[in-house]
């Protein structure tokens, strides 16, 4: 992959990958950071990425792994700081609709959330998700069914049940 081809690939894929990682992680800043870091790692491997034929999947996987590593590090750090510090100051809440969706996604197990994102946001088939995650097709299908059911339950609008039949 030449420098120009890589730059073109970056321009076409960075927003999409950032959006996908945002849904997976629930944190836009984190998604932007890990996608950028994954592209930096891809730059060194750009020749091999072209031969492998799936540079976007490689970058998404690397970004996901970076996000998990960062989460683990932050959790360990927070645990250490939490033992010796007071409570943090409250932060103003974001848009209520955004909160509902993010909360519903965060309540899902990480693998279900990732599988739903790869399938619906990334538009990957079950086979492609299998290749990217290493999970079996039946496990992917199970995650999709359970994740959809859990989201449907969490995102129900109670006002719809109260509305009279027309």
């Amino acid at each position: 992959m030449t420098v120009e081809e890589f730059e073109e690939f970056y321009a076409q894929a960075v927003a999409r990958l950032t959006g996908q990682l945002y849904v997976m992680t629930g944190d836009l800043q984190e998604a932007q950071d890990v996608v950028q870091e994954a592209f930096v790692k891809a730059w060194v491997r750009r020749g091999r990425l072209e031969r492998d034929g799936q540079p976007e999947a490689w970058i998404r996987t690397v970004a996901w792994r970076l996000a998990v590593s960062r989460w683990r590090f932050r959790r360990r750090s927070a645990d250490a700081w939490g033992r010796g510090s007071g409570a943090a100051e409250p932060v103003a809440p974001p848009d209520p609709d955004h909160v509902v969706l993010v909360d519903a996604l965060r309540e899902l197990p990480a693998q279900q959330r990732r599988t739903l994102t790869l399938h619906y946001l990334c538009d990957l088939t079950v086979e492609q998700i299998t290749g990217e995650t290493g999970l079996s097709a039946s496990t992917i299908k199970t995650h999709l069914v359970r994740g959809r059911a859990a989201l449907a339950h969490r995102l129900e609008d109670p006002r719809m049940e109260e509305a009279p039949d027309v």
Side-chain angles (χ1 to χ4, degrees):
M1 186 179 293
T2 66
V3 171
E4 292 79 18
E5 290 171 335
F6 188 85
E7 288 174 351
E8 183 178 329
F9 165 65
Y10 174 85
Q12 292 175 355
V14 69
R16 183 174 49 249
L17 286 164
T18 301
Q20 293 165 0
L21 267 293
Y22 171 52
V23 173
M24 289 181 195
T25 63
D27 183 339
L28 181 58
Q29 175 106 27
E30 182 69 11
Q32 291 169 333
D33 288 348
V34 296
V35 168
Q36 289 299 318
E37 192 170 338
F39 267 106
V40 169
K41 292 179 182 290
W43 173 257
V44 177
R45 301 177 48 100
R46 65 184 187 276
R48 283 186 274 170
L49 287 177
E50 185 176 44
R51 284 192 301 272
D52 294 344
Q54 294 184 337
E56 192 167 327
W58 186 89
I59 290 172
R60 186 174 34 250
T61 301
V62 169
W64 170 253
R65 289 177 180 160
L66 288 167
V68 169
S69 293
R70 288 174 167 207
W71 176 82
R72 287 177 180 152
F73 174 78
R74 279 193 305 273
R75 183 173 171 144
R76 286 190 305 268
S77 297
D79 288 347
W81 279 103
R83 289 188 287 265
S85 66
E89 293 184 31
V91 177
D95 178 51
D97 292 335
H98 178 82
V99 171
V100 170
L101 179 59
V102 170
D103 283 346
L105 285 167
R106 284 183 177 159
E107 288 178 18
L108 297 178
Q111 232 11 79
Q112 279 182 11
R113 185 172 58 245
R114 183 179 184 205
T115 302
L116 286 169
T117 301
L118 291 172
H119 187 67
Y120 290 107
L121 189 64
C122 304
D123 201 26
L124 298 182
T125 65
V126 171
E127 292 76 26
Q128 290 169 320
I129 297 170
T130 298
E132 195 164 318
T133 63
L135 300 172
S136 69
S138 62
T139 301
I140 297 297
K141 291 176 185 177
T142 299
H143 285 316
L144 289 173
V145 168
R146 289 180 181 168
R148 281 190 298 255
L151 280 180
H153 176 71
R154 287 178 174 90
L155 297 176
E156 282 180 349
D157 188 349
R159 295 174 293 179
M160 297 304 289
E161 295 175 9
E162 297 172 5
D165 291 332
V166 179

